[in-house]
Amino acid sequence: MSTPVQAPAGQQPAESAGRRAIWLSIAALAMTFMLPAAGLVMALFAIVAGIRAVPLLKAAGKPTGVTAGGIAVAAVALALSVATTGMQLYLMNENSAYQECMKSAGTVSSQGECFVQFKEAAQKKLPPDVLELIGATRP
């Protein structure tokens, strides 16, 4: 029976830690757009994995650029997910009313009325420029 060939000590865990950090950060960015709260958690995992990978890569003499990029992408995902989750929580009542209105809307014009009601309710809570910034206005 032959023994498996192993990488030199410290090389394999360092390389896999760097790859793990970048993949987690990409997943965090994707999750931010689908489920912002899950993106927040995933971004935190990605940042921790990246920070833990840097010393391993340096000790193995490997470049840390990919891991640093993963940390940067995870930081962007974290900022986006915090902002999105915060906005969802802040406008929770308005969003619930909008969802209920859309359930009972049978025509396109009644759906438009639901949007107008949501926009007016959100404008009462938000500064005037925020809705334009997030693109919640219709031409």
Side-chain angles (χ1 to χ4, degrees):
M1 177 174 228
S2 63
T3 59
V5 178
Q6 294 183 355
Q11 188 176 14
Q12 185 63 26
E15 289 178 2
S16 65
R19 283 191 301 268
R20 185 179 314 116
I22 191 71
W23 283 114
L24 280 172
S25 66
I26 292 169
L29 192 58
M31 290 296 278
T32 296
F33 293 110
M34 293 184 288
L35 297 167
L40 189 140
V41 173
M42 186 73 75
L44 290 174
F45 284 141
I47 290 172
V48 169
I51 290 171
R52 291 181 68 188
V54 170
L56 292 173
L57 289 167
K58 285 184 178 180
K62 300 289 182 183
T64 60
V66 172
T67 305
I71 293 171
V73 170
V76 168
L78 181 65
L80 287 173
S81 61
V82 164
T84 305
T85 303
M87 184 69 75
Q88 285 179 341
L89 291 174
Y90 186 66
L91 295 174
M92 186 182 328
N93 294 334
E94 289 78 6
N95 192 29
S96 295
Y98 174 73
Q99 294 298 324
E100 288 298 318
C101 182
M102 288 297 284
K103 285 180 185 176
S104 62
T107 63
V108 174
S109 62
S110 60
Q111 290 175 351
E113 286 294 322
C114 293
F115 180 79
V116 169
Q117 290 173 3
F118 171 75
K119 182 179 168 185
E120 290 171 355
Q123 282 177 339
K124 290 177 184 174
K125 283 184 113 172
L126 297 172
D129 298 336
V130 173
L131 290 175
E132 290 178 20
L133 179 68
I134 61 174
T137 59
R138 283 192 175 172

